[in-house]
Amino acid sequence: MTDFDSLSINTIRGLCMDAVQKAKSGHPGTPMGIAPVAYTLWQQYLRFDPTDPIWPNRDRFVLSEGHASALLWSLLYLTGVRAVDPDYEVLGPAVTLEDLRTFRQLGSHCPGHPEYHLTSGVEATTGPLGQGVSMSVGMAISGQWLAARYNRNDATLFDFDVYALAGDGCMMEGISSEAASIAGHQQLSNLCWIYDSNRVTIEGHTDITFTEDVAARFLAYGWNVTTVADANNLDAIRRAIQSFKAETARPTLIVVHSHIGYGSPLEDSPKAHGAPLGAEAVKATKRMFGLPDDKDFYVPDGVRDWFEGGIGARGQATRAAWEATFKEYANAYPDLADEVERMQRRELPAGWDAVLPDFPADPKGLATRDSSSQVLNQLAEAVPWLLGGSADLAPSTKTLLRFEGAGDFQPDERGGRNLHFGVREHASAAIANGMALTKLRPYWSGFLIFSDYARGAIRLSALMEVPVVHIFTHDSIGVGEDGPTHQPVEQLASLRAMPGLFVFRPADANEVVETWRVVGALRHEPAALVLSRQSLPTLDRSVLHGAEGVERGAYVLADPPSGGTPDVLLLATGSEVALALSARDELAADGIGARVVSMPCWELFDRQPREYRDEVLPPAVTARVGIEQASTLGWDRYVGPAGAVIGMDTFGASAPLKQLLTKFGFTPERVTEVARALVAEQPRRAGTPQPTAPPPAAGPATAPPPTGKDPQ
Amino acid sequence: MTDFDSLSINTIRGLCMDAVQKAKSGHPGTPMGIAPVAYTLWQQYLRFDPTDPIWPNRDRFVLSEGHASALLWSLLYLTGVRAVDPDYEVLGPAVTLEDLRTFRQLGSHCPGHPEYHLTSGVEATTGPLGQGVSMSVGMAISGQWLAARYNRNDATLFDFDVYALAGDGCMMEGISSEAASIAGHQQLSNLCWIYDSNRVTIEGHTDITFTEDVAARFLAYGWNVTTVADANNLDAIRRAIQSFKAETARPTLIVVHSHIGYGSPLEDSPKAHGAPLGAEAVKATKRMFGLPDDKDFYVPDGVRDWFEGGIGARGQATRAAWEATFKEYANAYPDLADEVERMQRRELPAGWDAVLPDFPADPKGLATRDSSSQVLNQLAEAVPWLLGGSADLAPSTKTLLRFEGAGDFQPDERGGRNLHFGVREHASAAIANGMALTKLRPYWSGFLIFSDYARGAIRLSALMEVPVVHIFTHDSIGVGEDGPTHQPVEQLASLRAMPGLFVFRPADANEVVETWRVVGALRHEPAALVLSRQSLPTLDRSVLHGAEGVERGAYVLADPPSGGTPDVLLLATGSEVALALSARDELAADGIGARVVSMPCWELFDRQPREYRDEVLPPAVTARVGIEQASTLGWDRYVGPAGAVIGMDTFGASAPLKQLLTKFGFTPERVTEVARALVAEQPRRAGTPQPTAPPPAAGPATAPPPTGKDPQ
């Protein structure tokens, strides 16, 4: 090591120890063990300009072991990374010494785990293990795709590399196995995972549960694998990174054997993982590293200049060259340059939504997965960087892009727009997150039931505020014969509970169009599209209100045919809206006036002013029936205590849909029966919870055990 | 092949084709390809008595590729497996020819995917890929543990093997990677996965996304791997199974190269996967297999007798020998035999709950994770087959069993009670399911936020109706400094939306005790325990109502100190109950009478008679404040339109808890402010949705972007 190499590394260690010690909380051990690797990568290899941390062709560094956040905060501080404001203007430092001193305190730019959107230089929110490495696969895919679309013989706009630093925990999580398998198949030679193998987790040494041969596993995935036997050996680290940079057909795993809490009295102990070392141990460790033990947050003279001369100088020069290239590129290829610039601002091409179709009324109609397929294809033709794939369900979810030139994204076809994620839902969503972090507009699709498998990554879309479109079809007992393992019940409520996620369940083809119009314009919010397997009538808007009401989340679709104040409100989403319309007609024949409200997106409706909400759901009309083939949780907000919900509070069953509709009470007879009862009981006493509609007259929603039911 | 071997295999193929064809829906291709393997295993190896399908020492067969259910239904029919009634009496056939003919229709015992609890002989509900193989790991762990505890030199009660049949999809899912890694570490030589490698999935050939070397991957996990190059080669199949049976230190993976839709015109095509072959193709295929093409559901004479003479005779003899052994065992070891028998009926030892402690009032109190730890340890001492582990968080979730002899479950210590699942939440929950399916009482633990990772398996606990205890700690922004990646917000609502799952969030140590009393007695329901990281006061029950109200889900904890009808109801769970009590005292000083209702388990409360619910939440009192550090979704059911909810509809933040309580409005000041406003507004108009409480006066719940917020 040169003096400044070791001085810089030990400075990082000191800052990490101090930040955790001062916060009285955090994870000191991992940064101390892996600091030499992170230092070497940043100082000597990472193409990153601290003065412009969102330069599009920067190398990405994802701290997948997000609990080691102090390492990242130290690097952002020492390298002088700048903050960027909402208008993409570059401001002062992203992380100040005061931020480090207030690590994990309210308002600090140094929170407990890296949070994208809160601190410049953070490429992805991490902490939930396995997510960071999986998102890095999405970033690497983006890099390959961007290169294929935008690079020209005379101009290389995109050739960035993606690094992810992962711990033992990341390697154990299933999501990273899925992502690694995809990365190997896709031969992502621009991807490098650094596995910080300190063999210590919270419960103890990895010997107690994690004895597989990780290197052999990654070779089986088709990766290049290399090993650094000692995390403090900078030459070995350089050789390993060179091995990655020389590799042209495989992603690279660098296994680094490190020591948690290196240099401290707690070295190699689980106690170094998740708690401050203690004041005395910090002092002793500083002495061991040649740092003054009476100073905290100590940065020796010259260290920041050293970084400025390393990563700083290299990054600025590289970016300046890129800017010059881009200027020429913009002259030669103005349309492509415009795409690149719009993409960076998360804007779509001008007039992107002019292509959206209008579906004529059709009593037979089509499944919303089918209408969405048409809309998606038209949009994707208009928006070249809208791309995605499915978790092995594209023929069912209908998300394949079929237009001329769409093609598959594969090792030999990097410009393809269709990704095959395989039966790997969690990685699919995480990869989509990674693609969104590199400013593409990604989507992925699966059955709604399998949103459960992907929840960890969906949550990160919402927390990071990136506009991923999660497309979920087969959205109810409409699945039919596949039965309760495949029929979602609780997934709608679960997704609605997630802050920052827009959940759409459109009722017909034109609501699908309006949904995509809203979703397309989102810049900082993910959306979940919940679509039917079965055909739904395309509603006749000449006699009903228009589907543009989708943008307000819920809207009056139809008032009583006879006019006047409605006696009852029928509230529904998706496939149940047509059912509500049928019930409205039957009720009219009985002289009961029913209003039908379509509620495709609760989150948008809840954001409307009270006046609009009261207009759609007049407070005076307390007879209200909510209808949705899903858990009733949450419906009380709209139906109130005098209302009722026809929903699913049990699992479904394996049978053709028609039988299930009767069994579970989704028939016009049942809706009108419930509505009539509510109207007859008016006025009811207020404040009495009426959790759900009574079960259908035909029998309880939970069927009695069939003969031979096995009580195992 | 002998005549009857090929005749039986082709009969199975014919039944599967016909069942799918008649249902006009289903998956014919997989059963046709893998039938020879399933046949050989069942007929020649599986120790399974069709006349007593719940015999405790039977070998387990898990159809992890659950979409191939027709294969299982055919086998259950042909081998004459009996049904078992709720009193464990053996009845007539589990699957009749009529059931096969009504495959996938309402009421058939042959639903679309195997459903435990619906059809005898189904060892686990499967269909969501990866779950079956992962549960099989739990079953194999159970086998090892049962052997260690109950076998004696003179009596082997448990030595069953566990087989799982998996497809390409199962191999791609992350959960199976997690489970395979654990199985390898645990050296589960009683476990055999048969990988039906037909290299065709829904989107096409696996070449498009799944090109890893699966055999090499499993060698890396520490498995014995063997290959059958042709699924129709019965000798090769036998040799592979012999390799498994000869293996003493590793689980075995048998890679079987098969052909989807074997023998049909659609062989090797994705079209053979998920739809009927078509009438003409079925006829042609029958001719190819030498079956009459003018008969459906054809079972040649002698085939059922052939099974009766194979698996039937072997199974009955093996079970009879076991019964004789058990009789002697019961004489020699009556206490142990009693345990085995109780366990099979899902009963606990007599007086099991006598050990439950009573916690004295203590204003400082302790975290509910800590009180639960004490209770769990006492219960586990009283219930020898209560065991479990954590997804690498035991020191934090406090679920380690610490009493003398509890020990770790490891390859060299099979009687240990503590499992180390590693950072693998999804497999943890699935393994717990597998253990429950073998009649142990398992639990596993993690942070509540990571319940997201395990949802697919938690859902199966509920769908299968097995009493797994899912223990989740760090249940709110109480997590503090780790920040929003680790602070659950939407997880409570998500779990509550799941049918059949009891979700408990106890308020203090004595509610924890009563929660465990309810949970311990469950025989067919899983539970989620949601526990705090931070200390909560142990409430003084001498001046408050007793914690036994937990069994009714919600109960009046305290009425206004001055008596009389309350002016306002304060409803809360977990850590917010003490907050509600403080607010009650402050309101009393203002002359406002507040009732505090603790609501630890909504599902139980919703099951109470209306009288009880109205007694706890008097309809006349419409001023109601719900208080919970979680998504407000679902609270409207209890607070009604004139109420308000103080909850979390944004993500949290990284800071010490005290700062977060102020930021997000969980202070006595804020609760009293909201309550006072509601009381002042009385009476409000009914029917007006009031989704959530207005944000705290101190500022909006969603903080404005901090300076330097990065708009990437």
PDB file of all heavy atoms in Angstrom, chain B residues 198-209:
ATOM      1  N   ASN B 198     -37.930 -31.379 -18.362  1.00  0.00           N
ATOM      2  CA  ASN B 198     -38.418 -31.497 -19.741  1.00  0.00           C
ATOM      3  C   ASN B 198     -38.050 -30.265 -20.569  1.00  0.00           C
ATOM      4  O   ASN B 198     -38.311 -30.214 -21.753  1.00  0.00           O
ATOM      5  CB  ASN B 198     -39.924 -31.796 -19.784  1.00  0.00           C
ATOM      6  CG  ASN B 198     -40.766 -30.697 -19.169  1.00  0.00           C
ATOM      7  OD1 ASN B 198     -40.425 -29.524 -19.245  1.00  0.00           O
ATOM      8  ND2 ASN B 198     -41.879 -31.066 -18.554  1.00  0.00           N
ATOM      9  N   ARG B 199     -37.422 -29.310 -19.917  1.00  0.00           N
ATOM     10  CA  ARG B 199     -36.849 -28.139 -20.605  1.00  0.00           C
ATOM     11  C   ARG B 199     -37.859 -27.350 -21.424  1.00  0.00           C
ATOM     12  O   ARG B 199     -37.497 -26.653 -22.379  1.00  0.00           O
ATOM     13  CB  ARG B 199     -35.651 -28.573 -21.472  1.00  0.00           C
ATOM     14  CG  ARG B 199     -34.461 -29.076 -20.631  1.00  0.00           C
ATOM     15  CD  ARG B 199     -33.296 -29.543 -21.477  1.00  0.00           C
ATOM     16  NE  ARG B 199     -33.666 -30.601 -22.398  1.00  0.00           N
ATOM     17  CZ  ARG B 199     -33.872 -31.882 -22.051  1.00  0.00           C
ATOM     18  NH1 ARG B 199     -33.743 -32.258 -20.780  1.00  0.00           N
ATOM     19  NH2 ARG B 199     -34.227 -32.772 -22.958  1.00  0.00           N
ATOM     20  N   VAL B 200     -39.123 -27.459 -21.012  1.00  0.00           N
ATOM     21  CA  VAL B 200     -40.154 -26.661 -21.682  1.00  0.00           C
ATOM     22  C   VAL B 200     -40.947 -25.930 -20.609  1.00  0.00           C
ATOM     23  O   VAL B 200     -41.397 -26.550 -19.640  1.00  0.00           O
ATOM     24  CB  VAL B 200     -41.096 -27.547 -22.519  1.00  0.00           C
ATOM     25  CG1 VAL B 200     -42.298 -26.748 -23.013  1.00  0.00           C
ATOM     26  CG2 VAL B 200     -40.342 -28.146 -23.697  1.00  0.00           C
ATOM     27  N   THR B 201     -41.088 -24.623 -20.733  1.00  0.00           N
ATOM     28  CA  THR B 201     -41.956 -23.876 -19.824  1.00  0.00           C
ATOM     29  C   THR B 201     -42.952 -23.097 -20.669  1.00  0.00           C
ATOM     30  O   THR B 201     -43.011 -23.263 -21.888  1.00  0.00           O
ATOM     31  CB  THR B 201     -41.160 -22.927 -18.911  1.00  0.00           C
ATOM     32  OG1 THR B 201     -40.543 -21.931 -19.714  1.00  0.00           O
ATOM     33  CG2 THR B 201     -40.102 -23.684 -18.122  1.00  0.00           C
ATOM     34  N   ILE B 202     -43.728 -22.253 -20.019  1.00  0.00           N
ATOM     35  CA  ILE B 202     -44.838 -21.629 -20.730  1.00  0.00           C
ATOM     36  C   ILE B 202     -44.362 -20.747 -21.876  1.00  0.00           C
ATOM     37  O   ILE B 202     -44.953 -20.722 -22.944  1.00  0.00           O
ATOM     38  CB  ILE B 202     -45.730 -20.859 -19.724  1.00  0.00           C
ATOM     39  CG1 ILE B 202     -46.438 -21.875 -18.821  1.00  0.00           C
ATOM     40  CG2 ILE B 202     -46.725 -19.958 -20.446  1.00  0.00           C
ATOM     41  CD1 ILE B 202     -47.215 -21.267 -17.683  1.00  0.00           C
ATOM     42  N   GLU B 203     -43.260 -20.043 -21.656  1.00  0.00           N
ATOM     43  CA  GLU B 203     -42.799 -19.144 -22.726  1.00  0.00           C
ATOM     44  C   GLU B 203     -41.989 -19.861 -23.805  1.00  0.00           C
ATOM     45  O   GLU B 203     -41.643 -19.247 -24.816  1.00  0.00           O
ATOM     46  CB  GLU B 203     -42.002 -17.985 -22.131  1.00  0.00           C
ATOM     47  CG  GLU B 203     -42.894 -17.038 -21.329  1.00  0.00           C
ATOM     48  CD  GLU B 203     -42.224 -15.744 -20.909  1.00  0.00           C
ATOM     49  OE1 GLU B 203     -41.083 -15.472 -21.310  1.00  0.00           O
ATOM     50  OE2 GLU B 203     -42.849 -14.999 -20.136  1.00  0.00           O
ATOM     51  N   GLY B 204     -41.663 -21.128 -23.583  1.00  0.00           N
ATOM     52  CA  GLY B 204     -40.927 -21.830 -24.621  1.00  0.00           C
ATOM     53  C   GLY B 204     -39.887 -22.773 -24.054  1.00  0.00           C
ATOM     54  O   GLY B 204     -40.010 -23.242 -22.916  1.00  0.00           O
ATOM     55  N   HIS B 205     -38.844 -23.037 -24.816  1.00  0.00           N
ATOM     56  CA  HIS B 205     -37.765 -23.888 -24.360  1.00  0.00           C
ATOM     57  C   HIS B 205     -36.990 -23.154 -23.270  1.00  0.00           C
ATOM     58  O   HIS B 205     -36.852 -21.929 -23.310  1.00  0.00           O
ATOM     59  CB  HIS B 205     -36.853 -24.227 -25.547  1.00  0.00           C
ATOM     60  CG  HIS B 205     -35.920 -25.360 -25.263  1.00  0.00           C
ATOM     61  ND1 HIS B 205     -34.754 -25.207 -24.553  1.00  0.00           N
ATOM     62  CD2 HIS B 205     -35.997 -26.676 -25.577  1.00  0.00           C
ATOM     63  CE1 HIS B 205     -34.147 -26.374 -24.446  1.00  0.00           C
ATOM     64  NE2 HIS B 205     -34.890 -27.293 -25.064  1.00  0.00           N
ATOM     65  N   THR B 206     -36.474 -23.919 -22.300  1.00  0.00           N
ATOM     66  CA  THR B 206     -35.730 -23.266 -21.211  1.00  0.00           C
ATOM     67  C   THR B 206     -34.484 -22.554 -21.725  1.00  0.00           C
ATOM     68  O   THR B 206     -33.923 -21.720 -21.011  1.00  0.00           O
ATOM     69  CB  THR B 206     -35.328 -24.279 -20.123  1.00  0.00           C
ATOM     70  OG1 THR B 206     -34.689 -25.392 -20.746  1.00  0.00           O
ATOM     71  CG2 THR B 206     -36.551 -24.757 -19.357  1.00  0.00           C
ATOM     72  N   ASP B 207     -34.043 -22.870 -22.945  1.00  0.00           N
ATOM     73  CA  ASP B 207     -32.890 -22.177 -23.533  1.00  0.00           C
ATOM     74  C   ASP B 207     -33.039 -20.660 -23.510  1.00  0.00           C
ATOM     75  O   ASP B 207     -32.033 -19.953 -23.562  1.00  0.00           O
ATOM     76  CB  ASP B 207     -32.736 -22.580 -25.013  1.00  0.00           C
ATOM     77  CG  ASP B 207     -31.990 -23.887 -25.148  1.00  0.00           C
ATOM     78  OD1 ASP B 207     -31.582 -24.439 -24.117  1.00  0.00           O
ATOM     79  OD2 ASP B 207     -31.845 -24.356 -26.287  1.00  0.00           O
ATOM     80  N   ILE B 208     -34.285 -20.171 -23.459  1.00  0.00           N
ATOM     81  CA  ILE B 208     -34.449 -18.716 -23.535  1.00  0.00           C
ATOM     82  C   ILE B 208     -34.118 -18.008 -22.235  1.00  0.00           C
ATOM     83  O   ILE B 208     -33.951 -16.801 -22.221  1.00  0.00           O
ATOM     84  CB  ILE B 208     -35.877 -18.306 -23.980  1.00  0.00           C
ATOM     85  CG1 ILE B 208     -36.919 -18.784 -22.984  1.00  0.00           C
ATOM     86  CG2 ILE B 208     -36.172 -18.832 -25.385  1.00  0.00           C
ATOM     87  CD1 ILE B 208     -38.316 -18.257 -23.275  1.00  0.00           C
ATOM     88  N   THR B 209     -34.029 -18.756 -21.135  1.00  0.00           N
ATOM     89  CA  THR B 209     -33.714 -18.053 -19.872  1.00  0.00           C
ATOM     90  C   THR B 209     -33.102 -18.912 -18.788  1.00  0.00           C
ATOM     91  O   THR B 209     -32.637 -18.396 -17.773  1.00  0.00           O
ATOM     92  CB  THR B 209     -34.989 -17.388 -19.300  1.00  0.00           C
ATOM     93  OG1 THR B 209     -34.639 -16.592 -18.159  1.00  0.00           O
ATOM     94  CG2 THR B 209     -36.020 -18.433 -18.870  1.00  0.00           C
TER      95      THR B 209
END
